[in-house]
Amino acid sequence: MKQNLLEFDAAGLTAWFAGMGEKPFRAKQVLRWLHQFGEDDFERMTDVAKSLRTRLAEHAEVRLPQVMLDSAAADGTRKWLLDVGNGNAVECVFIPEENRGTLCISTQAGCALDCAFCSTGKQGFNRNLTTGEIIGQLWWAKKALGDFRAHGSSDTNRRIAGTDFSGDRIISNVVLMGMGEPLANLDNVVTALHLMLDDNAYGLSRRRVTVSTSGILPAMDRLRDECPVALAVSLHAPNDALRDRLVPINRKYPLAELMAACRRYLEKSPRDFITFEYVMLDGVNDSEEHARELIRLVRDVPCKLNLIPFNPFPASGFKRSPAQRVRRFAEILMQAHIITTTRKTRGEDIDAACGQLAGQVRDRTQRREKRITTIAEAAP
Ligand code: SAH
Ligand code: SF4
Protein backbone atom coordinates (compact mmCIF):
# COMPACT_ATOMS: atom_id res chain seq x y z
CA MET A 1 0.00 0.00 0.00
CA LYS A 2 1.27 3.46 -0.87
CA GLN A 3 1.99 5.88 1.97
CA ASN A 4 -0.57 8.68 2.24
CA LEU A 5 1.54 11.82 2.74
CA LEU A 6 -1.37 13.65 4.38
CA GLU A 7 -0.86 11.49 7.47
CA PHE A 8 2.42 13.30 8.30
CA ASP A 9 3.29 16.54 10.03
CA ALA A 10 6.68 18.14 9.26
CA ALA A 11 8.59 15.83 11.64
CA GLY A 12 6.87 12.73 10.29
CA LEU A 13 7.42 13.68 6.66
CA THR A 14 11.09 14.50 7.31
CA ALA A 15 11.58 11.09 8.96
CA TRP A 16 9.82 9.31 6.10
CA PHE A 17 11.96 11.17 3.56
CA ALA A 18 15.08 10.30 5.56
CA GLY A 19 14.07 6.63 5.27
CA MET A 20 14.16 7.13 1.50
CA GLY A 21 17.58 8.80 1.75
CA GLU A 22 16.12 12.24 0.97
CA LYS A 23 17.17 15.48 2.64
CA PRO A 24 14.96 17.43 5.08
CA PHE A 25 14.61 20.40 2.70
CA ARG A 26 12.90 18.07 0.19
CA ALA A 27 10.33 17.17 2.83
CA LYS A 28 9.76 20.86 3.48
CA GLN A 29 9.28 21.53 -0.22
CA VAL A 30 6.70 18.76 -0.53
CA LEU A 31 4.96 19.84 2.69
CA ARG A 32 4.51 23.32 1.23
CA TRP A 33 3.17 21.99 -2.05
CA LEU A 34 0.64 19.84 -0.21
CA HIS A 35 -0.57 22.26 2.43
CA GLN A 36 0.31 25.76 1.27
CA PHE A 37 -0.43 25.48 -2.44
CA GLY A 38 -3.01 22.68 -2.21
CA GLU A 39 -1.25 20.53 -4.81
CA ASP A 40 -2.11 16.82 -4.81
CA ASP A 41 -0.26 15.80 -7.99
CA PHE A 42 3.48 15.08 -7.60
CA GLU A 43 4.08 15.84 -11.29
CA ARG A 44 2.99 19.44 -10.81
CA MET A 45 5.43 20.00 -7.91
CA THR A 46 7.71 21.69 -10.38
CA ASP A 47 10.70 22.55 -8.21
CA VAL A 48 10.99 18.99 -6.87
CA ALA A 49 13.62 16.95 -8.77
CA LYS A 50 12.10 14.81 -11.52
CA SER A 51 13.71 11.65 -10.09
CA LEU A 52 12.13 12.29 -6.68
CA ARG A 53 8.73 12.95 -8.24
CA THR A 54 8.95 9.56 -9.94
CA ARG A 55 9.88 7.83 -6.67
CA LEU A 56 7.07 9.59 -4.85
CA ALA A 57 4.57 8.47 -7.46
CA GLU A 58 5.77 4.88 -6.90
CA HIS A 59 5.70 4.83 -3.12
CA ALA A 60 3.39 7.60 -1.98
CA GLU A 61 0.01 9.16 -2.66
CA VAL A 62 -2.13 12.09 -1.56
CA ARG A 63 -5.32 10.37 -0.47
CA LEU A 64 -8.07 12.84 0.37
CA PRO A 65 -11.53 11.96 1.61
CA GLN A 66 -13.97 12.44 -1.29
CA VAL A 67 -16.62 15.14 -1.19
CA MET A 68 -20.08 13.57 -1.42
CA LEU A 69 -22.14 16.70 -0.93
CA ASP A 70 -21.44 20.42 -0.94
CA SER A 71 -24.29 22.61 0.31
CA ALA A 72 -24.61 26.35 0.81
CA ALA A 73 -27.03 27.99 3.24
CA ALA A 74 -28.82 31.28 2.70
CA ASP A 75 -26.53 32.99 5.26
CA GLY A 76 -23.32 31.96 3.43
CA THR A 77 -22.57 28.93 5.61
CA ARG A 78 -21.14 26.02 3.58
CA LYS A 79 -21.22 22.36 4.52
CA TRP A 80 -19.31 19.47 2.99
CA LEU A 81 -20.09 15.81 3.53
CA LEU A 82 -16.92 13.77 3.14
CA ASP A 83 -16.71 10.06 2.48
CA VAL A 84 -14.25 8.36 4.83
CA GLY A 85 -14.88 4.85 3.55
CA ASN A 86 -16.85 1.81 4.70
CA GLY A 87 -20.16 3.61 4.60
CA ASN A 88 -18.95 6.36 6.95
CA ALA A 89 -19.11 10.06 6.17
CA VAL A 90 -18.31 13.12 8.25
CA GLU A 91 -19.24 16.77 7.93
CA CYS A 92 -17.34 20.02 8.06
CA VAL A 93 -18.80 23.52 8.03
CA PHE A 94 -17.49 26.95 7.02
CA ILE A 95 -19.01 29.94 8.80
CA PRO A 96 -18.18 33.35 7.30
CA GLU A 97 -18.42 36.36 9.59
CA GLU A 98 -17.57 39.99 9.12
CA ASN A 99 -14.02 39.86 10.46
CA ARG A 100 -13.20 36.16 10.30
CA GLY A 101 -14.00 32.88 8.61
CA THR A 102 -14.27 29.80 10.80
CA LEU A 103 -14.02 26.22 9.67
CA CYS A 104 -15.58 23.65 12.00
CA ILE A 105 -14.08 20.20 11.48
CA SER A 106 -14.82 16.65 12.66
CA THR A 107 -12.41 14.32 14.44
CA GLN A 108 -14.32 11.03 14.63
CA ALA A 109 -16.96 9.14 12.66
CA GLY A 110 -19.66 9.28 15.34
CA CYS A 111 -18.89 9.70 19.03
CA ALA A 112 -18.87 7.24 21.91
CA LEU A 113 -19.66 9.76 24.63
CA ASP A 114 -23.40 9.87 23.99
CA CYS A 115 -24.32 13.30 25.34
CA ALA A 116 -28.09 13.39 25.71
CA PHE A 117 -28.72 16.35 23.37
CA CYS A 118 -26.23 15.61 20.55
CA SER A 119 -27.14 14.03 17.23
CA THR A 120 -23.57 12.81 16.62
CA GLY A 121 -23.62 11.06 19.98
CA LYS A 122 -26.95 9.44 19.17
CA GLN A 123 -25.38 7.72 16.19
CA GLY A 124 -22.85 5.88 18.28
CA PHE A 125 -19.17 5.55 17.51
CA ASN A 126 -17.53 4.01 14.52
CA ARG A 127 -13.90 5.03 14.44
CA ASN A 128 -11.29 7.72 14.87
CA LEU A 129 -10.46 9.81 11.83
CA THR A 130 -6.85 9.63 10.72
CA THR A 131 -4.67 12.74 10.57
CA GLY A 132 -5.16 12.77 6.79
CA GLU A 133 -8.93 12.69 7.18
CA ILE A 134 -8.87 15.51 9.74
CA ILE A 135 -6.51 17.74 7.77
CA GLY A 136 -8.25 16.67 4.54
CA GLN A 137 -11.31 18.64 5.66
CA LEU A 138 -9.26 21.83 5.90
CA TRP A 139 -7.59 21.00 2.58
CA TRP A 140 -10.95 20.60 0.80
CA ALA A 141 -12.49 23.67 2.34
CA LYS A 142 -9.48 25.76 1.27
CA LYS A 143 -9.69 24.29 -2.22
CA ALA A 144 -13.43 24.94 -2.51
CA LEU A 145 -13.13 28.50 -1.17
CA GLY A 146 -10.05 29.38 -3.25
CA ASP A 147 -8.00 29.93 -0.09
CA PHE A 148 -4.75 28.19 -1.14
CA ARG A 149 -1.83 30.34 -2.23
CA ALA A 150 -0.75 30.26 -5.83
CA HIS A 151 2.79 28.90 -6.17
CA GLY A 152 5.21 31.77 -6.63
CA SER A 153 2.82 34.41 -5.31
CA SER A 154 4.02 36.76 -2.61
CA ASP A 155 3.23 35.56 0.84
CA THR A 156 0.58 38.01 1.95
CA ASN A 157 -0.77 35.39 4.32
CA ARG A 158 2.35 35.14 6.40
CA ARG A 159 1.70 35.68 10.04
CA ILE A 160 3.80 38.38 11.67
CA ALA A 161 5.72 36.54 14.39
CA GLY A 162 4.15 36.95 17.80
CA THR A 163 0.94 38.55 16.54
CA ASP A 164 -2.53 37.32 15.87
CA PHE A 165 -2.61 38.73 12.34
CA SER A 166 -4.49 36.43 9.98
CA GLY A 167 -3.56 38.12 6.71
CA ASP A 168 -6.08 37.91 3.93
CA ARG A 169 -7.07 34.33 4.58
CA ILE A 170 -10.63 33.27 3.96
CA ILE A 171 -10.32 30.61 6.66
CA SER A 172 -8.82 32.53 9.58
CA ASN A 173 -9.96 30.23 12.40
CA VAL A 174 -10.40 26.50 12.85
CA VAL A 175 -12.53 24.91 15.56
CA LEU A 176 -12.53 21.20 16.32
CA MET A 177 -16.23 21.25 17.15
CA GLY A 178 -17.70 19.03 14.46
CA MET A 179 -18.48 15.37 14.85
CA GLY A 180 -16.64 13.47 17.56
CA GLU A 181 -14.59 14.11 20.67
CA PRO A 182 -11.14 15.42 19.68
CA LEU A 183 -9.51 14.39 22.94
CA ALA A 184 -10.59 10.78 22.44
CA ASN A 185 -8.45 10.80 19.27
CA LEU A 186 -5.56 12.81 20.63
CA ASP A 187 -2.60 11.37 18.69
CA ASN A 188 -4.13 12.03 15.28
CA VAL A 189 -5.55 15.37 16.42
CA VAL A 190 -2.16 16.58 17.69
CA THR A 191 -0.46 15.69 14.40
CA ALA A 192 -3.22 17.54 12.52
CA LEU A 193 -2.82 20.53 14.88
CA HIS A 194 0.92 20.61 14.13
CA LEU A 195 0.05 21.02 10.44
CA MET A 196 -2.52 23.73 11.14
CA LEU A 197 0.09 25.72 13.09
CA ASP A 198 3.13 25.04 10.87
CA ASP A 199 4.28 28.06 8.86
CA ASN A 200 5.18 25.68 6.02
CA ALA A 201 1.64 24.31 6.07
CA TYR A 202 -1.49 26.24 7.16
CA GLY A 203 0.31 28.73 9.44
CA LEU A 204 -2.60 29.49 11.74
CA SER A 205 -2.04 31.17 15.08
CA ARG A 206 -2.51 28.99 18.17
CA ARG A 207 -5.08 31.47 19.37
CA ARG A 208 -7.17 30.91 16.28
CA VAL A 209 -7.32 27.14 16.57
CA THR A 210 -9.76 25.86 19.18
CA VAL A 211 -10.26 22.35 20.49
CA SER A 212 -13.66 21.69 22.05
CA THR A 213 -13.94 18.90 24.59
CA SER A 214 -16.55 17.43 26.86
CA GLY A 215 -13.76 16.97 29.40
CA ILE A 216 -11.53 13.93 29.03
CA LEU A 217 -9.11 14.96 31.73
CA PRO A 218 -5.89 13.02 31.13
CA ALA A 219 -6.05 14.04 27.46
CA MET A 220 -6.61 17.70 28.43
CA ASP A 221 -3.32 17.61 30.33
CA ARG A 222 -1.59 15.97 27.38
CA LEU A 223 -2.92 18.58 24.95
CA ARG A 224 -1.63 21.29 27.28
CA ASP A 225 1.86 19.73 27.28
CA GLU A 226 2.05 18.59 23.65
CA CYS A 227 0.27 21.27 21.65
CA PRO A 228 -1.58 23.96 23.59
CA VAL A 229 -4.22 25.76 21.52
CA ALA A 230 -7.35 27.66 22.57
CA LEU A 231 -9.68 25.43 24.59
CA ALA A 232 -13.46 25.24 24.79
CA VAL A 233 -15.04 22.99 27.39
CA SER A 234 -18.60 21.74 26.99
CA LEU A 235 -20.10 22.32 30.41
CA HIS A 236 -23.88 22.33 29.93
CA ALA A 237 -24.71 21.91 33.63
CA PRO A 238 -23.66 23.63 36.86
CA ASN A 239 -23.75 20.53 39.11
CA ASP A 240 -22.70 16.89 38.91
CA ALA A 241 -26.19 15.40 39.23
CA LEU A 242 -27.42 17.21 36.11
CA ARG A 243 -24.14 16.92 34.18
CA ASP A 244 -24.03 13.17 34.85
CA ARG A 245 -27.28 12.96 32.89
CA LEU A 246 -26.47 15.35 30.06
CA VAL A 247 -22.76 14.62 29.56
CA PRO A 248 -22.19 11.03 30.75
CA ILE A 249 -18.36 11.36 30.76
CA ASN A 250 -18.94 13.51 33.87
CA ARG A 251 -19.47 10.31 35.87
CA LYS A 252 -15.82 9.53 35.24
CA TYR A 253 -14.42 13.07 35.40
CA PRO A 254 -16.68 15.15 37.67
CA LEU A 255 -16.88 18.94 37.78
CA ALA A 256 -14.42 19.67 40.59
CA GLU A 257 -11.72 17.74 38.74
CA LEU A 258 -12.70 19.36 35.45
CA MET A 259 -12.33 22.85 36.95
CA ALA A 260 -8.90 21.94 38.35
CA ALA A 261 -7.83 20.63 34.92
CA CYS A 262 -9.01 23.91 33.34
CA ARG A 263 -6.81 25.87 35.71
CA ARG A 264 -3.85 23.63 34.84
CA TYR A 265 -4.57 24.13 31.14
CA LEU A 266 -4.46 27.90 31.53
CA GLU A 267 -0.85 27.70 32.70
CA LYS A 268 0.17 26.96 29.10
CA SER A 269 -2.80 28.07 27.04
CA PRO A 270 -2.25 30.69 24.31
CA ARG A 271 -5.40 32.39 25.61
CA ASP A 272 -5.85 33.54 29.17
CA PHE A 273 -9.37 32.15 29.47
CA ILE A 274 -11.29 28.93 28.87
CA THR A 275 -14.47 29.15 26.80
CA PHE A 276 -17.27 27.27 28.50
CA GLU A 277 -20.01 26.11 26.18
CA TYR A 278 -23.48 25.76 27.61
CA VAL A 279 -26.33 24.50 25.45
CA MET A 280 -29.64 26.02 26.58
CA LEU A 281 -32.24 23.31 27.07
CA ASP A 282 -35.78 24.40 27.87
CA GLY A 283 -36.68 23.60 31.48
CA VAL A 284 -33.58 21.44 31.98
CA ASN A 285 -30.54 23.65 32.72
CA ASP A 286 -31.75 27.21 32.03
CA SER A 287 -33.25 28.55 35.29
CA GLU A 288 -32.00 31.56 37.26
CA GLU A 289 -30.87 29.19 40.00
CA HIS A 290 -28.78 27.24 37.44
CA ALA A 291 -27.15 30.52 36.39
CA ARG A 292 -26.25 31.35 39.99
CA GLU A 293 -24.90 27.86 40.58
CA LEU A 294 -22.82 28.22 37.41
CA ILE A 295 -21.28 31.44 38.71
CA ARG A 296 -20.18 29.64 41.87
CA LEU A 297 -18.78 26.73 39.86
CA VAL A 298 -16.56 28.77 37.53
CA ARG A 299 -15.54 31.36 40.12
CA ASP A 300 -11.87 30.32 40.16
CA VAL A 301 -11.42 29.74 36.43
CA PRO A 302 -10.78 32.73 34.15
CA CYS A 303 -13.40 32.08 31.48
CA LYS A 304 -15.92 33.25 28.95
CA LEU A 305 -19.35 31.70 28.71
CA ASN A 306 -20.81 30.83 25.35
CA LEU A 307 -24.52 30.04 25.49
CA ILE A 308 -25.67 27.86 22.59
CA PRO A 309 -29.37 27.75 21.71
CA PHE A 310 -30.19 24.04 21.45
CA ASN A 311 -30.48 22.90 17.84
CA PRO A 312 -33.19 20.31 17.58
CA PHE A 313 -32.93 17.08 15.59
CA PRO A 314 -35.51 14.29 15.19
CA ALA A 315 -36.41 12.46 18.42
CA SER A 316 -33.97 14.46 20.57
CA GLY A 317 -36.52 14.85 23.34
CA PHE A 318 -35.30 18.40 24.15
CA LYS A 319 -36.55 21.87 23.28
CA ARG A 320 -34.67 25.12 22.77
CA SER A 321 -34.95 27.57 25.68
CA PRO A 322 -37.07 30.62 24.82
CA ALA A 323 -34.99 33.66 23.83
CA GLN A 324 -36.22 35.61 26.86
CA ARG A 325 -34.88 32.93 29.23
CA VAL A 326 -31.50 32.84 27.45
CA ARG A 327 -31.30 36.64 27.80
CA ARG A 328 -32.09 36.46 31.51
CA PHE A 329 -29.48 33.70 32.01
CA ALA A 330 -26.84 35.78 30.21
CA GLU A 331 -27.79 38.85 32.24
CA ILE A 332 -27.22 37.08 35.56
CA LEU A 333 -23.80 35.85 34.42
CA MET A 334 -22.79 39.28 33.17
CA GLN A 335 -23.84 40.91 36.44
CA ALA A 336 -21.26 38.59 38.03
CA HIS A 337 -18.69 39.97 35.53
CA ILE A 338 -18.52 36.84 33.42
CA ILE A 339 -18.20 37.71 29.74
CA THR A 340 -21.12 35.94 28.13
CA THR A 341 -22.04 35.58 24.49
CA THR A 342 -24.97 33.82 22.90
CA ARG A 343 -24.07 31.90 19.79
CA LYS A 344 -25.93 32.88 16.68
CA THR A 345 -27.39 29.86 14.98
CA ARG A 346 -25.98 29.54 11.48
CA GLY A 347 -26.72 27.31 8.53
CA GLU A 348 -29.90 25.86 10.01
CA ASP A 349 -31.49 25.42 6.59
CA ILE A 350 -28.77 22.91 5.65
CA ASP A 351 -28.59 21.22 9.07
CA ALA A 352 -25.16 22.70 9.64
CA ALA A 353 -25.76 24.16 13.10
CA CYS A 354 -23.98 22.97 16.25
CA GLY A 355 -24.91 19.47 17.22
CA GLN A 356 -26.80 18.80 14.01
CA LEU A 357 -23.87 17.28 12.16
CA ALA A 358 -24.91 13.74 11.48
CA GLY A 359 -22.90 12.69 8.48
CA GLN A 360 -23.38 9.02 7.98
CA VAL A 361 -21.97 6.57 10.44
CA ARG A 362 -22.14 2.84 10.61
CA ASP A 363 -22.66 2.33 14.28
CA ARG A 364 -20.79 -0.66 15.55
CA THR A 365 -22.39 -0.20 18.96
CA GLN A 366 -25.87 -0.59 17.46
CA ARG A 367 -26.99 2.28 19.64
CA ARG A 368 -29.17 3.76 16.96
CA GLU A 369 -31.12 0.54 16.49
CA LYS A 370 -31.50 0.23 20.25
CA ARG A 371 -32.81 3.77 20.40
CA ILE A 372 -35.25 3.29 17.60
CA THR A 373 -36.54 0.14 19.32
CA THR A 374 -36.92 2.05 22.56
CA ILE A 375 -38.81 4.83 20.83
CA ALA A 376 -41.01 2.30 19.02
CA GLU A 377 -41.74 0.56 22.31
CA ALA A 378 -42.61 3.81 23.98
CA ALA A 379 -44.95 4.85 21.17
CA PRO A 380 -48.67 4.41 21.94
N1 SAH B 1 -17.08 16.53 21.39
C1 SAH B 1 -16.72 17.87 21.55
C2 SAH B 1 -16.77 18.68 20.27
C3 SAH B 1 -17.92 18.40 19.34
S1 SAH B 1 -19.50 18.93 19.90
C4 SAH B 1 -17.57 18.53 22.63
O1 SAH B 1 -18.53 17.92 23.08
O2 SAH B 1 -17.22 19.63 23.03
C5 SAH B 1 -19.39 20.71 19.73
C6 SAH B 1 -20.37 21.49 20.58
O3 SAH B 1 -21.71 21.35 20.11
C7 SAH B 1 -20.37 21.02 22.03
O4 SAH B 1 -20.36 22.11 22.91
C8 SAH B 1 -21.69 20.30 22.11
O5 SAH B 1 -22.13 20.18 23.40
C9 SAH B 1 -22.57 21.15 21.23
N2 SAH B 1 -23.81 20.48 20.84
C10 SAH B 1 -24.02 19.17 20.69
N3 SAH B 1 -25.31 18.93 20.33
C11 SAH B 1 -25.91 20.13 20.24
C12 SAH B 1 -27.22 20.56 19.87
N4 SAH B 1 -28.15 19.68 19.50
N5 SAH B 1 -27.49 21.87 19.88
C13 SAH B 1 -26.52 22.77 20.20
N6 SAH B 1 -25.28 22.43 20.54
C14 SAH B 1 -24.96 21.13 20.56
FE1 SF4 C 1 -19.59 13.53 21.50
FE2 SF4 C 1 -19.37 16.19 21.80
FE3 SF4 C 1 -21.65 15.08 20.88
FE4 SF4 C 1 -20.95 14.75 23.44
S1 SF4 C 1 -21.47 16.69 22.42
S2 SF4 C 1 -21.72 13.15 22.05
S3 SF4 C 1 -18.74 14.59 23.27
S4 SF4 C 1 -19.68 15.06 19.85
Side-chain angles (χ1 to χ4, degrees), residues 68 82-90 109 126-127 359-363:
M68 297 165 73
L82 299 170
D83 185 359
V84 291
N86 278 334
N88 292 309
V90 298
N126 192 280
R127 70 171 173 83
Q360 235 171 270
V361 175
R362 280 176 137 188
D363 180 3

Side-chain angles (χ1 to χ4, degrees), residues 192-211:
L193 289 174
H194 286 156
L195 286 168
M196 291 175 202
L197 303 176
D198 194 326
D199 278 336
N200 289 308
Y202 298 91
L204 290 161
S205 135
R206 272 180 203 282
R207 297 156 56 84
R208 291 177 175 269
V209 176
T210 302
V211 166

Side-chain angles (χ1 to χ4, degrees), residues 63-69 80-92 109 127 129-130 132-133 136-137 140 359-360 362:
R63 195 165 59 250
L64 287 151
Q66 291 306 300
V67 178
M68 297 165 73
L69 208 70
W80 296 274
L81 181 70
L82 299 170
D83 185 359
V84 291
N86 278 334
N88 292 309
V90 298
E91 290 178 325
C92 92
R127 70 171 173 83
L129 298 188
T130 67
E133 289 164 340
Q137 297 169 58
W140 268 124
Q360 235 171 270
R362 280 176 137 188

Side-chain angles (χ1 to χ4, degrees), residues 361-373:
V361 175
R362 280 176 137 188
D363 180 3
R364 285 203 300 246
T365 64
Q366 307 294 304
R367 188 182 293 141
R368 197 185 183 97
E369 278 74 4
K370 268 189 257 156
R371 231 174 89 76
I372 289 167
T373 322

Side-chain angles (χ1 to χ4, degrees), residues 144 324 338:
Q324 173 56 31
I338 299 175

Side-chain angles (χ1 to χ4, degrees), residues 69-129:
L69 208 70
D70 176 346
S71 23
D75 64 8
T77 302
R78 283 272 289 269
K79 182 174 84 168
W80 296 274
L81 181 70
L82 299 170
D83 185 359
V84 291
N86 278 334
N88 292 309
V90 298
E91 290 178 325
C92 92
V93 177
F94 174 68
I95 307 138
E97 285 169 291
E98 214 169 277
N99 51 359
R100 64 180 172 194
T102 303
L103 187 71
C104 175
I105 68 186
S106 297
T107 54
Q108 298 183 309
C111 182
L113 299 188
D114 199 21
C115 298
F117 48 82
C118 172
S119 75
T120 306
K122 290 299 148 216
Q123 295 184 84
F125 175 68
N126 192 280
R127 70 171 173 83
N128 283 331
L129 298 188

